[in-house]
Amino acid sequence: MQSADAGMAVARQAGTVQTLAWNRCIHGWARAHRGDVAEGHAEMARGIATSQQIMGEVALPQFRTMMAEILLLRGDVDEALTAPAVRDYDYCAAEAHRVMGACLARAGDGGTTAIAHLRQAMAVARAQ
């Protein structure tokens, strides 16, 4: 969180909106993982909205995947299932497959679909 705080401060000084949005998303994600899920979710949503306002499309698959993880922490499995962008050409495909596998397992699909996503996550990670 300290790193994201520092990143936000530098981004504000430099006037770099996308860097500020990225660091806000990281900060929100970390905050949620540290137990403040509601505020982490709100901060993540603000970061995503800022990124979308400036057409910051490159990072959106990663942001959506991070949001899915927050939604899982919040216990909102159905919404988490719709958040990640699982595509093999995304730079965050391994993470998206891992989170999708976790979402499906939490939703009660401990079978082949969840396992397939987890295996795909490992395969993509190894290839990267």
Side-chain angles (χ1 to χ4, degrees), residues 12-44:
R12 279 187 200 100
Q13 277 184 327
T16 55
V17 180
Q18 183 58 45
T19 303
L20 180 59
W22 174 255
N23 280 284
R24 183 169 284 136
C25 287
I26 296 295
H27 195 271
W29 179 86
R31 176 176 261 167
H33 278 276
R34 292 189 71 180
D36 190 356
V37 178
E39 186 53 39
H41 178 264
E43 191 169 2
M44 184 80 197

Side-chain angles (χ1 to χ4, degrees), residues 4-126:
D5 284 335
M8 287 188 293
V10 170
R12 279 187 200 100
Q13 277 184 327
T16 55
V17 180
Q18 183 58 45
T19 303
L20 180 59
W22 174 255
N23 280 284
R24 183 169 284 136
C25 287
I26 296 295
H27 195 271
W29 179 86
R31 176 176 261 167
H33 278 276
R34 292 189 71 180
D36 190 356
V37 178
E39 186 53 39
H41 178 264
E43 191 169 2
M44 184 80 197
R46 286 190 303 271
I48 290 171
T50 300
S51 186
Q52 288 175 316
Q53 287 172 352
I54 62 160
M55 307 301 269
E57 300 295 320
V58 172
L60 285 177
Q62 180 69 33
F63 293 163
R64 286 199 277 303
T65 301
M66 293 164 68
M67 179 61 91
E69 210 164 18
I70 291 173
L71 292 166
L72 275 178
L73 290 172
R74 195 172 79 176
D76 194 344
V77 177
D78 290 337
E79 193 174 345
L81 280 166
T82 66
V86 180
R87 288 174 272 177
D88 291 337
Y89 57 85
D90 286 335
Y91 68 93
C92 67
E95 187 65 6
H97 280 291
R98 182 191 69 77
V99 171
M100 183 58 78
C103 288
L104 290 168
R106 183 77 82 62
D109 177 356
T112 58
T113 308
I115 291 168
H117 275 287
L118 295 172
R119 286 192 174 137
Q120 185 64 22
M122 290 187 297
V124 171
R126 285 183 186 122

